[in-house]
Amino acid sequence: MNELATRALNLAQTKGARYADIRLVVLETESLVVKNGIVEAVSLDVSQGFGVRVIAHGAWGFASSARLDRETVDEVTALAIEIARASAMVSGEEIDLGPPEVHVDTYNTPTEVDPFQVPLGDKIDLLLACDEAMRRTEGVAVAEGNMLFIHRNQLFANTEGSLIQQETTETGVGLVATAVGQDEVQNRSYPNSFGRHQGTGGYEFIERYDLLGNAERLGEETVALLSARQCPSGVTTLILGPTQLALQVHESCGHPTELDRALGTEASYAGTSFLTPEKLGSFQYGSEIVNITADATLPGGLGTFGYDDEGVPAQRSYLVKDGIFVGYLTSRETASRFGQRSNGAMRADGWGSIPLIRMTNINLEPGDWELEDVIADTDDGIYMEMNKSWSIDDKRLNFQFGTEIAYEIKNGERRDLLKNATYAGMTPQFWGSCDAICNEKYWDVWGTPNCGKGQPSQVAHVGHGASPARFRNVQVGVMK
Amino acid sequence: MLGQAKVEERIKYALSLSNAGQTEVVLLGETEQLTRFANSHIHQNVAREDLDLRVRVVLGSKIGIASTNDLSDAGLQRVVESATAAAKPQQDNPDFVSLPAPQPIPEVAGFVEATANCRPRARAEAARSICLPCREQGLNASGAFATRSYEYAVGNSLGILAYYPTTLADLRTVIMSDTGSGYAAACSLDVGEIDAESLGREAIDKALRSRDPLDVAPGEYTVILEEDTVGSLMAYLAYMGFGAQALQEGRSFMVGKLGQKVAGEHITIWDDGLDSANLPMPFDFEGVPKQRVEFIAHGVVKGPVYDSYTAGNEEGKRSTGHALPAPSDNGPFPWNVAMAGGQATKQEMLASTEKGLWVSRVHYVRPVHPLRTIVTGMTRDGTFLIENGEIAGPVKNLRFTQSILEALSEVEMICRETKLTREAFMENFIGGMRVPALKIGRFAFTSATEF
C-alpha cells in the first residue's frame, strides 16, 4: 500500500498538483440479525479501495477506485487532476489549507477482545437468548436483535510528508421489541434505538450492557405502552433521558456547528446553519450550565480516532462554553479562513468519498444533579427517553422529536406511563431553558451510526456523551 | 463497466465454487462522477468506481451472506468461503422456502452512452450556466450534477442469470438570496435531457419571488403541493407500508385495510419497474422480473410488494420482483412508484384557491406514527401564501405534522402533468417517484421557523 501511495502522490505533483493526499482502505464488516427466534442474516463483507484528492489549477479534484494496482492508481490520479481542471472553470477563492500537517504515526483502537475472534455461534446464541426473553411477554409481535463489527485499516499519506496508518474497530449491538395493537405500534429498544448502540472497541462493548438482563423488560414495556395514556399536549417541564438527549445534541448542536454548513457549502442538500460566523464568541446558545464539547479522543466513543482524514490529530475543543457559542467543527481549509488550525473533524465514510466536516463525539458535559433529585424537584412535567422520530429545519432551528417511552411527573414523582410522546421547539430557546444536568454517574457516550450528509451522500459514525437534563416551558404532545 | 460477458463469467465462476444446496450471486456495479457547487463556484468534484459482489449460500436452510469488491479468482474464492462460514453455525430457518427459479425477463433499454461518457468538463459547463447568472444577480448558487452508470446482475444455482446496464443523470440546485431560496431538479437516463440553464432559471425565479417572507400562523390550510413535495410524501408512504414484510409484521398501514377505502377515489398509486416514464429496472435483486403492483386503486388498498422470502410466508403469494440485495432488514421495497395524474393545471389549482399555501418542496420528512401514516417535516425553498386565487407573497417555512392518507382523502384537484422525483433515502438504486402536483383541502402545519 505504501508503494501505491507514493506512486499516486508523485504522479499528482508531476501533473501539477500543489497538494495531494491519498487514503487506501480495507474495510471488513460482520453483521448478525435475529428476528422472532430465527437467524435472519449473518453477513461477512469486505471492501477495499483508494481515493486521491488533489488541489490543481487552483481547485479541488477527487477520484477513487476499488482496483488496487499501479495502472489504476495512474488512471485515477490523472482523473483527479482532470476533475480539478474542470472545477477551475467555475472557481472560487484561492484554497488555503493553512500550515502543513506532517505526522508519521500509527493508531489502533484499544480493544480487549477482538470481536472478529469471538465465534459466530456464541454471538448467535446470545442474540437468540435475548430474543426468547423479549418474547416471553404475550403481545410482543416482533423481537429483533443485531450485532455489527467493523474493522477499518487505513493508510493516509499526503504531499506534505504525512504517513499515518490507522486500524479502527467498532462494535455495535441492539435489541428491539415491537408490540402491535389497534392502530398502534410500539417499540422498546436497548441500549439505543434505530438499529443499535455502537462504539469504538472490541467485544467488551457488548458485555458492558447486560443485554440478557434487559431483554425481558423490553417486551414488558412495549406491550404496556399499547394501553398507556397518550402523551398530553401543552407546555410543560421536560426531562430528557440520555439517549434522546444525545440525538438532541446531534441535531441541534453538532450539525449547526459544522463550519462548512455555516459557510454555505452544504446548502444544496442538508442546508446551512443559524450559527453564522458573526455569532462566534457572543451568541447565547443555551443557559450558562450548558457546555458542549467536540472530543475525538474519548475512549470508546463512536467518533473516536487517532487522526482525521486530512491527517489532523484527534483533539478536544469547546463548541459551547457556559452557554456561549465559542467554536465550530473545522477542516484545514475552513479553519484557515479564521486564522486557526483545523480541530480535526474531516472524515470520509470510505475510500470512495471525500472527507467532509463531520461530528466526532459531540458531548453535553455532565452537571452535578442526581436524576432522582431532578425528578423530586419537578412539580409538573414529563420524562421522555429513547428516540422514535426526529426532524429539524435546514438551518437547525425548528425541531420535533418523538420518543419510545415517557412518564408523567407530578409533585416530584414519576407517575403514569405515556405513549406517542413528542416535543418541539426552537434550538436557542430550548437550550436556554436548560436548568439541570445530571452528573457523571449517568453519563455515557451514545453512538449515532447513521448520520447523513453530502452529495454523494455519506454516512458518518459519530458519538454523543450525555446524561439526563431538564428543560422548562417545552411544547409537548404535538401529534393529534 | 465490466460488460455483460465479464460479469456473467464472474458470476458463473463464483457459483461454481459453492457446494451449498442453493447459491445466489448478485453484482452491483456503479461508476459515478459528481460535480458539486456552492457559493456560486465548484467546491467539490468527485469520481468513484466500485462494485459489490454479494454471495448468498443456503446450507439446508441456513443462510450465509458475504460480499467483496475483489473480483479476482482468489477474491471470489474467499467470498464464497465466507458466506459458507457465515451459514454453518446457524440453525435452519423454517421460514425459508427457496431461492427463485428463472422466469423470462423483458428487454429494457436503460443505458445511454452519452451519460456514461459524460466528462468533468461537461458537468462544469452545466454548473457554470447556473452559477454565472447567480453571480450577476447577487444570488448564491449551490447544487450537484451527477452522472452515473450501473451494472446490475443476478445469478443463482437454479438457473437465473440476468444482466442490466443503466445510466442516470441527476441535477439539483438550490439558489439563495439573503432572505429566500428556490429549488429545481431533473433526472433522466439521458444526460442530454438535463437542461441546466433552464433549471437554473426556474430556481432563480423562485429564489427572487421568495425574498422577504412574512410570518404566517401555523394551522390547517388548503395547500397546493408541487411534485417534489408529493414525491417525498409518496416515498415515506412507501416506507411505511408498501412492503409485505411490514404488513406481515403488523406494522403497515395496510393491516386490516385490504380492500378498504383509505384515500380519495381519484388516488391511484402503483409500482412498475418496466415503466419507461420512470427509471426502469427489469428485475429485482433475486433475479425475479418486476411486476406492476397497485398499492391503492381509486382510493382502495390493493396490496404490497413481495420478495421470495415474504411470498413464501403467505399462502398463494408469489414474488412480485421487489427484493433488495440480501440481507434486507426491511424486506421488499418498491423503487419505481407512480401516482396517476388528473385533469387540472397548476394555474387552475391556484385560481380555484381562496386561501391556502403553495409548497414547493419539503425537508427532513420523518415518520411519527406509521400505522396512521403521520409524518412530520418542514417546508423549504419556496413557500407562498395564496389569496383569492393568486400568489399573495412568500411566507416563512412551516413544520407540518400530517397523516398522508388523511391528506390523500382531502385531494380536491390533481395536476394533469407528472414529474419524476427522487428522494434522498432512495439514492442507492435506480428508480424514482413519478407524481403530479396536488391540491389538498386540509393540511396541518404545527409550528413555524424564523426564515
Side-chain angles (χ1 to χ4, degrees):
Chain A
M1 294 229 282
N2 284 27
E3 185 225 321
L4 293 177
T6 304
R7 186 183 182 95
L9 296 178
N10 287 344
L11 182 60
Q13 290 181 296
T14 303
K15 288 183 174 294
R18 70 170 167 88
Y19 171 85
D21 62 38
I22 182 170
R23 281 174 297 110
L24 299 102
V25 183
V26 178
L27 187 74
E28 297 169 278
T29 305
E30 178 184 295
S31 63
L32 301 91
V33 179
V34 164
K35 185 189 282 189
N36 286 354
I38 294 170
V39 178
E40 285 243 318
V42 177
S43 182
L44 308 173
D45 305 296
V46 178
S47 171
Q48 61 182 25
F50 72 99
V52 177
R53 198 171 66 134
V54 303
I55 300 175
H57 307 280
W60 283 109
F62 175 86
S64 64
S65 174
R67 291 176 287 143
L68 289 167
D69 57 72
R70 292 192 191 103
E71 190 179 86
T72 304
V73 164
D74 292 352
E75 283 172 14
V76 164
T77 304
L79 178 57
I81 298 286
E82 178 190 349
I83 287 172
R85 190 181 306 120
S87 298
M89 290 167 57
V90 196
S91 61
E93 294 173 12
E94 185 182 343
I95 299 170
D96 178 7
L97 297 182
E101 289 282 350
V102 186
H103 304 278
V104 179
D105 203 355
T106 59
Y107 172 84
N108 296 308
T109 301
T111 58
E112 294 169 23
V113 180
D114 180 353
F116 289 88
Q117 298 302 314
V118 175
L120 281 174
D122 292 357
K123 296 162 180 167
I124 291 170
D125 287 345
L126 176 57
L127 287 175
L128 285 173
C130 293
D131 181 280
E132 187 275 330
M134 284 190 277
R135 288 187 294 126
R136 275 183 212 144
T137 304
E138 190 176 327
V140 172
V142 183
E144 297 171 87
N146 77 91
M147 292 183 186
L148 177 70
F149 309 99
I150 299 173
H151 181 257
R152 181 183 293 108
N153 186 345
Q154 173 168 295
L155 178 73
F156 171 87
N158 69 15
T159 46
E160 293 169 346
S162 278
L163 186 68
I164 302 167
Q165 181 85 43
Q166 294 196 83
E167 289 195 42
T168 54
T169 303
E170 294 178 21
T171 295
V173 67
L175 304 175
V176 56
T178 301
V180 179
Q182 183 69 28
D183 283 340
E184 283 285 348
V185 175
Q186 298 294 338
N187 302 321
R188 284 297 285 131
S189 306
Y190 180 80
N192 206 349
S193 56
F194 286 101
R196 63 192 160 270
H197 179 25
Q198 194 163 323
T200 49
Y203 200 75
E204 65 278 5
F205 180 87
I206 290 178
E207 290 162 346
R208 195 186 310 155
Y209 287 98
D210 188 16
L211 296 177
L212 199 50
N214 282 275
E216 190 167 4
R217 170 180 66 79
L218 301 182
E220 292 166 349
E221 287 178 354
T222 197
V223 172
L225 280 166
L226 289 178
S227 55
R229 187 157 59 92
Q230 179 88 347
C231 176
S233 296
V235 176
T236 192
T237 296
L238 180 63
I239 301 172
L240 292 181
T243 60
Q244 172 55 32
L245 195 47
L247 192 64
Q248 177 78 56
V249 167
H250 178 98
E251 298 293 354
S252 64
C253 183
H255 275 304
T257 55
E258 293 164 352
L259 183 51
D260 55 354
R261 283 189 73 117
L263 295 175
T265 58
E266 291 296 317
S268 61
Y269 176 46
T272 55
S273 172
F274 75 96
L275 290 176
T276 42
E278 80 286 351
K279 293 188 167 83
L280 190 63
S282 60
F283 181 72
Q284 190 77 40
Y285 176 89
S287 71
E288 62 185 33
I289 66 169
V290 173
N291 292 278
I292 299 177
T293 54
D295 188 353
T297 69
L298 266 180
L302 189 55
T304 297
F305 45 80
Y307 293 81
D308 78 356
D309 291 328
E310 283 193 308
V312 175
Q315 54 200 269
R316 181 179 188 268
S317 58
Y318 273 89
L319 304 177
V320 175
K321 194 166 174 42
D322 301 326
I324 303 293
F325 165 52
V326 296
Y328 283 109
L329 297 161
T330 63
S331 63
R332 291 180 63 184
E333 183 181 2
T334 55
S336 73
R337 293 173 61 167
F338 291 77
Q340 295 174 2
R341 293 188 79 128
S342 164
N343 60 8
M346 280 286 263
R347 307 174 67 196
D349 77 348
W351 52 262
S353 304
I354 51 167
L356 302 174
I357 294 175
R358 306 309 299 266
M359 295 175 233
T360 55
N361 301 300
I362 309 304
N363 317 300
L364 177 65
E365 294 294 316
D368 46 25
W369 285 74
E370 292 286 329
L371 177 58
E372 289 313 307
D373 292 339
V374 175
I375 293 172
D377 187 61
T378 303
D379 291 332
D380 194 10
I382 296 178
Y383 176 91
M384 294 188 190
E385 174 61 329
M386 196 64 74
N387 182 262
K388 193 173 172 184
S389 74
W390 73 101
S391 176
I392 193 165
D393 73 32
D394 58 282
K395 288 192 200 278
R396 301 279 151 175
L397 279 167
N398 177 305
F399 62 79
Q400 181 170 304
F401 290 95
T403 62
E404 287 184 354
I405 195 165
Y407 294 93
E408 186 180 43
I409 295 172
K410 278 276 189 228
N411 301 322
E413 291 183 348
R414 201 186 302 214
R415 298 273 182 88
D416 293 355
L417 182 68
L418 300 171
K419 69 182 176 188
N420 300 328
T422 53
Y423 71 99
M426 297 290 280
T427 296
Q429 286 76 23
F430 178 79
W431 283 104
S433 77
C434 180
D435 72 349
I437 301 173
C438 290
N439 62 38
E440 274 185 21
K441 190 169 84 179
Y442 307 90
W443 201 86
D444 198 355
V445 186
W446 297 97
T448 302
N450 56 347
C451 177
K453 182 177 175 176
Q455 290 169 304
S457 183
Q458 297 191 40
V459 177
H461 297 183
V462 304
H464 301 289
S467 38
R470 183 172 66 187
F471 303 83
R472 300 288 193 179
N473 302 312
V474 181
Q475 176 70 48
V476 300
V478 182
M479 190 171 63
K480 271 190 302 185
Chain B
M1 301 279 289
L2 297 179
Q4 184 169 6
K6 178 71 172 177
V7 167
E8 290 183 349
E9 182 273 327
R10 290 286 83 192
I11 287 178
K12 286 176 184 171
Y13 181 72
L15 288 171
S16 74
L17 296 172
S18 172
N19 297 318
Q22 294 187 349
T23 305
E24 172 190 83
V25 179
V26 177
L27 183 126
L28 311 164
E30 181 177 345
T31 301
E32 174 181 47
Q33 297 198 9
L34 184 147
T35 299
R36 198 173 187 211
F37 50 101
N39 298 318
S40 302
H41 72 273
I42 294 174
H43 69 305
Q44 295 168 3
N45 207 345
V46 302
R48 179 174 193 263
E49 62 167 18
D50 194 15
L51 43 81
D52 182 23
L53 187 137
R54 312 190 65 77
V55 175
R56 180 162 57 151
V57 303
V58 186
L59 304 180
S61 57
K62 300 177 221 181
I63 303 168
I65 300 164
S67 74
T68 183
N69 63 354
D70 176 3
L71 261 56
S72 67
D73 288 357
L76 296 185
Q77 181 77 44
R78 278 192 295 269
V79 74
V80 171
E81 286 170 359
S82 292
T84 306
K88 276 184 178 167
Q90 299 178 39
Q91 301 153 3
D92 282 323
N93 180 342
D95 291 343
F96 177 80
V97 176
S98 173
L99 294 178
Q103 297 177 57
I105 292 176
E107 289 280 328
V108 170
F111 188 89
V112 178
E113 289 282 350
T115 309
N117 295 334
C118 187
R119 298 308 299 172
R121 183 179 183 84
R123 285 186 300 279
E125 285 170 353
R128 183 165 57 189
S129 74
I130 297 174
C131 290
L132 291 192
C134 285
R135 290 181 189 178
E136 288 162 10
Q137 298 182 61
L139 299 170
N140 183 321
S142 67
F145 188 12
T147 51
R148 303 185 179 103
S149 52
Y150 302 90
E151 283 183 296
Y152 295 129
V154 180
N156 75 17
S157 54
L158 285 77
I160 284 180
L161 187 61
Y163 173 82
Y164 177 65
T166 187
T167 50
L168 174 66
D170 184 325
L171 193 157
R172 305 160 194 225
T173 182
V174 171
I175 308 294
M176 298 187 294
S177 65
D178 283 349
T179 55
S181 59
Y183 172 81
C187 60
S188 172
L189 300 177
D190 184 356
V191 67
E193 292 188 357
I194 306 295
D195 183 345
E197 213 171 314
S198 169
L199 291 172
R201 283 196 297 272
E202 182 184 336
I204 287 171
D205 170 67
K206 215 162 249 183
L208 293 173
R209 289 195 291 118
S210 61
R211 285 175 299 187
D212 302 320
L214 298 179
D215 292 297
V216 66
E220 285 192 342
Y221 286 85
T222 296
V223 291
I224 293 173
L225 305 181
E226 289 207 80
E227 298 91 339
D228 288 301
T229 301
V230 177
S232 292
L233 297 178
M234 286 306 101
Y236 278 91
L237 190 63
Y239 179 76
M240 290 185 290
F242 286 176
Q245 180 169 295
L247 178 61
Q248 290 172 357
E249 291 177 353
R251 300 195 259 202
S252 164
F253 72 83
M254 289 189 179
V255 172
K257 302 267 192 333
L258 292 173
Q260 292 186 22
K261 201 155 189 288
V262 296
E265 106 180 12
H266 298 293
I267 302 299
T268 298
I269 307 168
W270 70 94
D271 182 273
D272 185 355
L274 303 181
D275 185 356
S276 59
N278 203 306
L279 300 166
M281 174 73 182
F283 54 86
D284 71 2
F285 295 101
E286 291 182 313
V288 175
K290 289 223 175 226
Q291 295 175 30
R292 188 180 190 278
V293 174
E294 276 193 333
F295 307 114
I296 295 173
H298 304 290
V300 175
V301 176
K302 305 301 281 184
V305 293
Y306 288 83
D307 57 13
S308 68
Y309 190 77
T310 48
N313 281 339
E314 233 181 287
E315 188 83 35
K317 293 298 181 188
R318 300 185 63 178
S319 171
T320 59
H322 289 85
L324 295 185
S328 173
D329 287 348
N330 294 314
F333 194 82
W335 231 265
N336 302 89
V337 177
M339 177 189 279
Q343 304 298 320
T345 65
K346 287 186 194 176
Q347 184 53 43
E348 287 167 349
M349 290 180 179
L350 178 62
S352 71
T353 303
E354 193 176 311
K355 182 163 183 183
L357 292 171
W358 181 288
V359 178
S360 300
R361 185 190 179 203
V362 290
H363 174 75
Y364 225 136
V365 179
R366 289 293 185 276
V368 177
H369 195 303
L371 283 192
R372 291 173 56 197
T373 69
I374 297 175
V375 293
T376 189
M378 297 294 303
T379 66
R380 184 179 171 180
D381 300 328
T383 310
F384 302 93
L385 181 66
I386 302 169
E387 285 179 333
N388 302 317
E390 292 183 345
I391 297 289
V395 298
K396 293 179 185 175
N397 289 306
L398 294 155
R399 171 170 296 285
F400 58 90
T401 306
Q402 171 67 49
S403 161
I404 298 175
L405 286 180
E406 286 179 14
L408 292 180
S409 300
E410 301 269 358
V411 171
E412 296 178 356
M413 296 172 84
I414 303 177
C415 191
R416 185 183 308 135
E417 303 287 327
T418 61
K419 178 183 170 184
L420 188 59
T421 70
R422 281 167 59 80
E423 187 64 17
F425 78 78
M426 296 176 69
E427 289 289 326
N428 290 347
F429 308 112
I430 197 83
M433 305 274 155
R434 179 166 279 282
V435 294
L438 300 174
K439 178 181 170 183
I440 294 175
R442 280 189 310 168
F443 202 84
F445 296 95
T446 46
S447 61
T449 191
E450 295 177 358
F451 58 95

